[in-house]
Amino acid sequence: MAQNIVKDGRKTEGVSTINRTESLFRTLFDASPDGIFIVDSQGFVDCNPAVLTMFRVANKSELLGLMPDAISPEFQPDGSSSKLVAMQKVQMALMEGECPTFLWWHQTLDGRYVFPTEVVLRRIEFDDQVLLQGIVRDISDRYRAEKHLQNFFSQSLHLHLIASIEGVMLQLNPGWQTLLGYSPEELQGQSFFNLVHSDDLTATLTEMKRLDQGYKTLYFVNRYRHKNGSYRTIAWSATADIDDHSIFAIGTDITEQKKIEEDLRNSEAEFHQIFDNVTEAIFVHDAATGDIIKTNNVVEEMYGYTPEEVRSLAVSELSSNVPPYTQEEANALLGRALAGEEVKFQWHAKHKDGHLLWTEAQMRCAEIAGRDCILVIARDITARKATEKQMKILLQAVEQSPVSVVITDLHARIEYVNSNFEEISGYSADQVVGRNASLLKSGLTPVSYYQQLWQLLLSGQAWKGEFQNRRQDGSLYWERVQIAPVQDDQGQVHHYLAVKEDITELKAQQDKILHQAHYDSLTQLPNRFLCLDRLGQQIKEAERNDHSIAVLFLDLDDFKRVNDSLGHDAGDSLLISAAARLQSVVRGTDTVGRLGGDEFIVLLSDLSDINIAAQIAEQILLLFQQPFTMDKREIVTTTSIGIACFPSDGKDSAELLRNADTAMYAAKQEGRNVFQFYTEAMNLQVARQLQLEELLYNALERDEFEVHYQPVLHIGSREITSAEALLRWHPSGIGPVYPDEFIPILEKTGGIIQVGNFVLEQSLKMAASIKAESLPGFHIAVNISPRQLRNADFPEYLFKLLKQYKFPATSLTLEITEGVLMTGYSIIEAAIKQLISKGVHIAMDDFGTGYSSLSYLRNYPFHALKIDRSFIRDITHDKADLELVNAAIAMAHSLELVVVAEGVETEQQLDLLALKACDYAQGFLFSKAVPKQAFFSLMSSKTERS
């Protein structure tokens, strides 16, 4: 008992722990500042309060059950369909487990407010159910800030520049056109040394070396040539990225300032006139005390202090005092100026209202009105500092671009690669810089590509194309590449720039699509399209070399029975095995293809003797007589083959295929499991069949069918007891067509179902009339097609007709051939059993012309057996036929079946049948099949005589 209490206690403790955990998770879920929602295929399942706030939803119930597109605009800002892109993101999350963070524009539920968000989608499973978790963050504030920063960069009046350490200008802002007259597009790719005044080149080169060594440029002045030929004086601050040998620089046009400074040195008289007209803040300090003795108007604009206020301030009160921008550093800079140095520096200053600003200043000694002074000229570079930061961000964005960037010299030696190149190729920058770009060659790209590439590059043009390159680990990959020459101001090419995109996955998809377009997805054999293309090529080659070609058209015999009895998986397995067998027989130069369904094609090329085609066809037939093993079952499926040869049987691919198909159908008619060469007679037969097939269409609606009736007599009494209904067709314009010609066409097209039902209805209507008026014991026999029996509704349809015409089921005999039973369809067996259960009689027709299997007679409750006319015809003079008929009658009687002899034409035949105890007979001796009215007359005359 104590143990049970402990167990119960542990169970209670476990449940409590689970409850606490669920409560904790729910608390975290609801407290998250980010929106979190759960969706299934029906829409939103759950969400936290942040989602309701973000999408301005008052109650969670308003959102539950809605699809996610209810909170998305119809289109994203780039014009793409929100629904389509969302489906792609969801599919990625479901397939890969997560769709990483992506930018998405949402809208509030009422549709009045659209805003940017960052979204992460994850696939989660709960209680065997696959759900999708979304985490959404409103980034409206950040988005607006980034937009403002971009606008600032584009609208800045300073010169902003990203360049290589060699001086190649890579990115410029619109300020270049404002200050120097050049658009950014004119200067990109050129060297800025081409714009520097010749007297300033040496100093500029020296400053570039300092940058390359890791120093920062706080203040450097040189002169740049304006587009109109004049020179402007530019003051620069710059920093370098040592790793990729690039610089970030911001320049200010100080042409006017320099002119003022020169005027100040040359004429103290003009000092005060100029002093207040410059754009920079100017401080004049007493050299002895360091006190501010004079400022210009810009000081008040920049710092917020009036001239009177600023003169009473110490330098520390104008500084942020964040090290190193302290009073001690200011004193050190002052000491350098007093020593005669022109000091240039940047300073973190403080406005009167407390906000901080960046300034760039220069300080030097000057004698003003006979007094030793320290002159400080400062300009506000707060905006420039922000731009420098943005430029660094932009460069980092380029570095992290999804495409590879490679810069080489004129000899294709690599000077720069970005991180994406390293990731894709497997080479680090250190491993490739200084080496020739050909190290990526796989040897698989055609030489002509490289020849065309260099031809264009050497002529100053760009080249676009695709390479199959090799990674460091030896694996291959595809790249879409654009290579362009980099030119200086004089049009001289000094570098090559390559931008490359990895398209390996795209190529794989293209190859897959191409394979799917040309190959059968099940057997992987060439499909109809590819086979016809190859056949066309073989025909051209055969014409040149005076050789023959054979086209073998194959169709698997009784393949539908495998599908219907064993299922489509078994059918697919059989097709795959059949394809393998075909490939094992043909030569290496031949083609085996699948046209569709159970139809295959074999193309035999370069034949010196057409008998080779017959030999291969024989091998195929022998091979297919061996059983296929599927799911531990052995199945024998033979094949019928039609052969058409070039040039005798056709001049092009379509004609050869059509004639081989015709020959294949001739092989089917020969009994299957054979091959047939095409003949012109086959073509005429096909044309005849096509004509009849066209005429049979709607023949029933045109009232061209008529049911005739042939009487069946009881041999003992010589009285008509029943009749067999036989279909006749009277098409207009071509004369009579016999049933053995048009019935197979109706079977093939499926029209036999509708026509067979017509025969049934007409026959029952006629028989009911005779039964009611003159012969109560009258029976009617109707031939039934296998297609009718495979129709699941057929038994009910027949029972409905019997009820409609008040005709007893026991007076109806349905005649079927043993071939119907050999199809093996379970639905046919079920239909026969259902019909017999209602009293309908079943007769085996044409006995002796097929397998004459006793098992069918024993296993099915037949009522009658009909001996085919081919055996009755010669019984008066052929002893063998007489003995066969005698045996059939004896066998049928032993199985308690009545026997009907067909095709009785003479009294001698009838006497022999009576002697052998045959029960019934029909044939021209009594009457041919006649129309309904003629049959009524025949019955009337028989009745009157009786």
Side-chain angles (χ1 to χ4, degrees):
M1 178 176 179
Q3 290 178 347
N4 291 335
I5 293 173
V6 171
K7 290 180 180 178
D8 291 341
R10 289 175 179 172
K11 181 176 180 181
T12 303
E13 182 181 354
V15 171
S16 177
T17 300
I18 292 172
N19 291 336
R20 288 197 301 273
T21 302
E22 290 179 346
S23 176
L24 175 60
F25 285 161
R26 188 70 205 188
T27 300
L28 295 174
F29 178 86
D30 290 341
S32 173
D34 292 331
I36 303 175
F37 58 84
I38 308 294
V39 296
D40 62 10
S41 60
Q42 303 301 315
F44 287 100
V45 175
D46 199 1
C47 67
N48 68 348
V51 169
L52 304 181
T53 302
M54 191 179 300
F55 298 100
R56 300 184 180 179
V57 179
N59 192 293
K60 185 188 296 184
S61 60
E62 296 179 42
L63 199 60
L64 298 185
L66 296 179
M67 298 304 293
D69 57 3
I71 55 173
S72 294
E74 185 177 0
F75 297 99
Q76 293 293 302
D78 61 359
S80 60
S81 167
S82 293
K83 182 174 290 187
L84 181 60
V85 176
M87 288 174 61
Q88 295 171 351
K89 301 292 186 182
V90 168
Q91 187 67 19
M92 181 182 205
L94 292 176
M95 295 295 292
E96 299 180 12
E98 179 177 290
C99 180
T101 303
F102 59 93
L103 176 65
W104 190 256
W105 286 80
H106 275 105
Q107 68 180 16
T108 53
L109 188 59
D110 58 13
R112 298 175 61 185
Y113 178 58
V114 178
F115 57 97
T117 64
E118 285 182 342
V119 181
V120 177
L121 298 177
R122 293 190 179 93
R123 180 178 182 269
I124 61 175
E125 296 184 7
F126 181 75
D127 285 345
D128 295 330
Q129 181 182 9
V130 176
L131 302 173
L132 202 65
Q133 178 196 53
I135 301 176
V136 57
R137 176 175 295 172
D138 187 345
I139 60 169
S140 301
D141 293 338
R142 190 181 78 195
Y143 185 85
R144 284 192 293 270
E146 290 174 351
K147 281 294 184 183
H148 292 331
L149 195 58
Q150 291 176 2
N151 292 337
F152 173 77
F153 174 80
S154 61
Q155 297 173 11
S156 174
L157 296 179
H158 295 284
L159 302 179
H160 300 270
L161 172 65
I162 300 176
S164 70
I165 201 68
E166 293 81 11
V168 178
M169 292 182 280
L170 304 176
Q171 187 172 347
L172 309 92
N173 74 326
W176 285 80
Q177 187 157 14
T178 303
L179 297 180
L180 292 175
Y182 302 97
S183 69
E185 292 76 14
E186 291 178 270
L187 296 179
Q188 280 178 347
Q190 298 190 33
S191 173
F192 60 69
F193 287 108
N194 297 328
L195 302 178
V196 176
H197 194 286
S198 58
D199 293 343
D200 298 335
L201 279 174
T202 301
T204 303
L205 285 169
T206 302
E207 192 64 22
M208 293 297 290
K209 290 180 181 178
R210 291 182 73 253
L211 283 169
D212 196 31
Q213 293 168 1
Y215 293 96
K216 291 184 178 181
T217 296
L218 299 179
Y219 188 84
F220 174 77
V221 177
N222 59 6
R223 287 165 290 176
Y224 269 59
R225 185 179 68 251
H226 193 280
K227 193 171 184 178
N228 62 15
S230 64
Y231 282 86
R232 306 293 294 180
T233 303
I234 309 297
W236 297 96
S237 64
T239 184
D241 190 323
I242 303 301
D243 293 332
D244 64 359
H245 299 284
S246 59
I247 65 167
F248 313 86
I250 299 178
T252 303
D253 185 353
I254 61 168
T255 306
E256 266 61 46
Q257 174 193 332
K258 278 294 183 180
K259 185 175 183 303
I260 292 171
E261 291 175 0
E262 184 178 353
D263 289 342
L264 282 172
R265 285 191 297 269
N266 296 332
S267 176
E268 286 187 4
E270 297 177 359
F271 172 76
H272 293 288
Q273 180 181 359
I274 299 172
F275 188 70
D276 288 323
N277 293 306
V278 296
T279 57
E280 291 80 10
I282 301 177
F283 296 84
V284 180
H285 295 259
D286 185 283
T289 64
D291 295 336
I292 300 173
I293 58 176
K294 189 170 182 61
T295 61
N296 68 348
N297 296 333
V298 179
V299 170
E300 185 172 0
E301 296 174 10
M302 189 181 299
Y303 292 89
Y305 293 100
T306 64
E308 293 74 17
E309 291 174 329
V310 80
R311 281 196 289 269
S312 63
L313 298 176
V315 172
S316 60
E317 296 178 272
L318 294 173
S319 305
S320 67
N321 290 311
V322 176
Y325 310 105
T326 61
Q327 184 66 54
E328 291 76 10
E329 178 64 17
N331 293 336
L333 293 172
L334 181 62
R336 290 168 55 191
L338 290 173
E341 180 183 351
E342 184 172 352
V343 182
K344 299 173 183 177
F345 58 95
Q346 289 185 355
W347 198 257
H348 207 197
K350 183 170 66 174
H351 192 274
K352 181 179 180 180
D353 62 13
H355 79 263
L356 302 177
L357 62 151
W358 280 100
T359 61
E360 185 176 69
Q362 60 185 90
M363 182 192 319
R364 63 180 177 84
C365 288
E367 185 179 335
I368 300 175
R371 185 177 181 179
D372 292 332
C373 298
I374 299 296
L375 182 64
V376 179
I377 301 174
R379 66 188 58 85
D380 188 347
I381 61 168
T382 305
R384 192 177 85 189
K385 279 285 189 179
T387 303
E388 287 176 348
K389 182 178 180 181
Q390 176 63 13
M391 288 179 68
K392 188 170 184 179
I393 293 172
L394 291 174
L395 184 64
Q396 291 172 347
V398 171
E399 179 63 23
Q400 297 170 8
S401 170
V403 298
S404 297
V405 178
V406 180
I407 299 175
T408 73
D409 63 13
L410 297 181
H411 302 289
R413 287 190 295 266
I414 298 174
E415 295 186 0
Y416 167 79
V417 295
N418 69 344
S419 57
N420 188 267
F421 170 91
E422 296 177 311
E423 180 180 348
I424 292 174
S425 70
Y427 289 99
S428 67
D430 292 339
Q431 291 174 311
V432 298
V433 170
R435 297 178 64 183
N436 196 285
S438 62
L439 68 92
L440 298 173
K441 283 185 178 181
S442 65
L444 301 175
T445 302
V447 176
S448 58
Y449 273 45
Y450 297 107
Q451 293 172 342
Q452 182 192 40
L453 181 156
W454 282 109
Q455 183 179 359
L456 287 172
L457 291 181
L458 292 175
S459 66
Q461 302 178 65
W463 178 88
K464 293 181 181 179
E466 295 177 355
F467 287 144
Q468 191 174 21
N469 285 333
R470 194 178 300 276
R471 297 184 178 90
Q472 186 185 30
D473 62 10
S475 62
L476 297 173
Y477 67 105
W478 280 95
E479 288 187 307
R480 182 179 290 126
V481 184
Q482 178 170 342
I483 305 176
V486 180
Q487 300 177 340
D488 58 20
D489 289 344
Q490 286 71 44
Q492 294 299 312
V493 177
H494 52 83
H495 283 87
Y496 294 118
L497 172 65
V499 178
K500 309 192 294 180
E501 178 185 5
D502 185 353
I503 58 170
T504 306
E505 291 186 8
L506 176 63
K507 279 288 186 180
Q509 286 295 326
Q510 290 174 344
D511 290 344
K512 182 178 179 181
I513 292 171
L514 190 63
H515 182 84
Q516 290 173 342
H518 292 88
Y519 289 87
D520 174 52
S521 60
L522 178 65
T523 64
Q524 300 307 311
L525 293 177
N527 61 12
R528 177 185 290 268
F529 176 82
L530 183 56
C531 287
L532 290 177
D533 181 71
R534 289 186 180 178
L535 180 56
Q537 297 298 324
Q538 291 176 2
I539 290 174
K540 293 178 182 178
E541 187 174 345
E543 289 174 336
R544 288 194 298 269
N545 301 328
D546 195 23
H547 284 146
S548 297
I549 298 171
V551 178
L552 278 61
F553 197 114
L554 297 87
D555 184 271
L556 301 185
D557 299 330
D558 292 326
F559 175 74
K560 189 176 190 316
R561 183 179 61 181
V562 176
N563 262 348
D564 291 344
S565 59
L566 301 180
H568 288 278
D569 288 343
D572 289 346
S573 179
L574 177 60
L575 291 173
I576 294 170
S577 299
R581 287 193 182 182
L582 289 173
Q583 288 176 300
S584 69
V585 174
V586 300
R587 304 166 302 172
T589 57
D590 300 329
T591 295
V592 177
R594 182 185 177 206
L595 299 177
D598 59 345
E599 295 179 340
F600 294 87
I601 187 173
V602 177
L603 306 179
L604 305 177
S605 61
D606 197 21
L607 297 179
S608 57
D609 185 353
I610 209 65
N611 288 324
I612 297 175
Q615 294 170 7
I616 292 177
E618 285 281 8
Q619 294 176 30
I620 293 173
L621 292 176
L622 288 173
L623 194 60
F624 272 71
Q625 288 171 9
Q626 301 174 17
F628 292 89
T629 302
M630 287 177 290
D631 293 332
K632 300 180 180 180
R633 297 183 61 175
E634 289 192 343
I635 298 174
V636 176
T637 298
T638 57
T639 183
S640 301
I641 306 174
I643 306 174
C645 301
F646 173 86
S648 59
D649 299 332
K651 302 299 183 184
D652 57 37
S653 303
E655 187 178 7
L656 285 171
L657 187 64
R658 183 173 62 251
N659 291 340
D661 188 14
T662 299
M664 184 274 293
Y665 276 106
K668 290 278 189 185
Q669 293 173 356
E670 286 293 318
R672 307 184 179 189
N673 193 28
V674 296
F675 68 87
Q676 286 282 340
F677 280 93
Y678 171 78
T679 65
E680 185 59 32
M682 293 178 184
N683 200 31
L684 295 176
Q685 183 181 3
V686 170
R688 168 73 170 175
Q689 289 178 344
L690 290 174
Q691 180 189 26
L692 294 181
E693 185 175 329
E694 183 179 355
L695 291 173
L696 281 169
Y697 183 72
N698 287 336
L700 191 61
E701 287 76 4
R702 295 194 299 270
D703 200 25
E704 294 178 354
F705 289 115
E706 184 179 17
V707 180
H708 286 198
Y709 303 91
Q710 186 173 35
V712 178
L713 277 74
H714 185 272
I715 293 178
S717 65
R718 302 296 176 96
E719 296 293 334
I720 298 175
T721 59
S722 62
E724 180 181 0
L726 298 169
L727 181 65
R728 297 293 183 261
W729 180 33
H730 307 290
S732 59
I734 66 170
V737 181
Y738 294 104
D740 59 354
E741 188 175 10
F742 71 80
I743 291 294
I745 298 175
L746 286 172
E747 290 277 7
K748 184 180 74 172
T749 61
I752 193 66
I753 295 178
Q754 187 178 11
V755 174
N757 291 343
F758 164 77
V759 174
L760 262 176
E761 184 172 359
Q762 294 297 314
S763 302
L764 290 175
K765 183 178 181 182
M766 186 279 296
S769 175
I770 292 177
K771 203 172 184 67
E773 295 178 6
S774 59
L775 192 60
F778 185 76
H779 285 65
I780 188 70
V782 181
N783 292 281
I784 296 299
S785 160
R787 277 184 174 265
Q788 288 176 279
L789 289 174
R790 290 202 300 269
N791 184 352
D793 298 329
F794 175 72
E796 291 301 326
Y797 170 76
L798 178 57
F799 299 151
K800 183 179 179 181
L801 286 180
L802 291 170
K803 182 178 181 181
Q804 177 181 346
Y805 293 110
K806 300 179 180 178
F807 195 82
T810 54
S811 296
L812 171 65
T813 299
L814 299 181
E815 296 186 4
I816 63 174
T817 64
E818 56 187 326
V820 174
L821 302 176
M822 289 175 62
T823 59
Y825 289 109
S826 58
I827 191 172
I828 290 180
E829 296 182 12
I832 291 175
K833 291 179 180 178
Q834 188 177 359
L835 293 169
I836 291 173
S837 69
K838 296 293 185 180
V840 177
H841 290 176
I842 305 295
M844 179 176 283
D845 195 14
D846 299 334
F847 183 78
T849 59
Y851 291 93
S852 301
S853 174
L854 297 180
S855 64
Y856 294 128
L857 293 174
R858 186 177 68 251
N859 295 333
Y860 291 92
F862 284 98
H863 171 74
L865 182 148
K866 300 189 72 173
I867 301 176
D868 188 70
R869 69 183 65 248
S870 62
F871 293 97
I872 303 299
R873 183 176 58 242
D874 298 326
I875 60 173
T876 58
H877 56 270
D878 190 324
K879 186 177 180 180
D881 279 354
L882 180 59
E883 290 301 324
L884 286 173
V885 170
N886 184 41
I889 294 172
M891 175 194 65
H893 286 167
S894 69
L895 295 173
E896 300 182 353
L897 305 180
V898 298
V899 180
V900 182
E902 296 182 302
V904 179
E905 298 181 356
T906 68
E907 289 289 346
Q908 292 83 357
Q909 292 171 343
L910 184 62
D911 290 341
L912 282 174
L913 291 169
L915 185 62
K916 300 300 180 182
C918 183
D919 301 301
Y920 296 92
Q922 67 181 97
F924 286 178
L925 176 62
F926 315 114
S927 173
K928 66 177 182 179
V930 296
K932 179 176 65 174
Q933 292 302 324
F935 188 80
F936 282 155
S937 299
L938 183 64
M939 290 297 296
S940 298
S941 65
K942 294 288 184 181
T943 303
E944 291 170 1
R945 285 201 299 273
S946 63

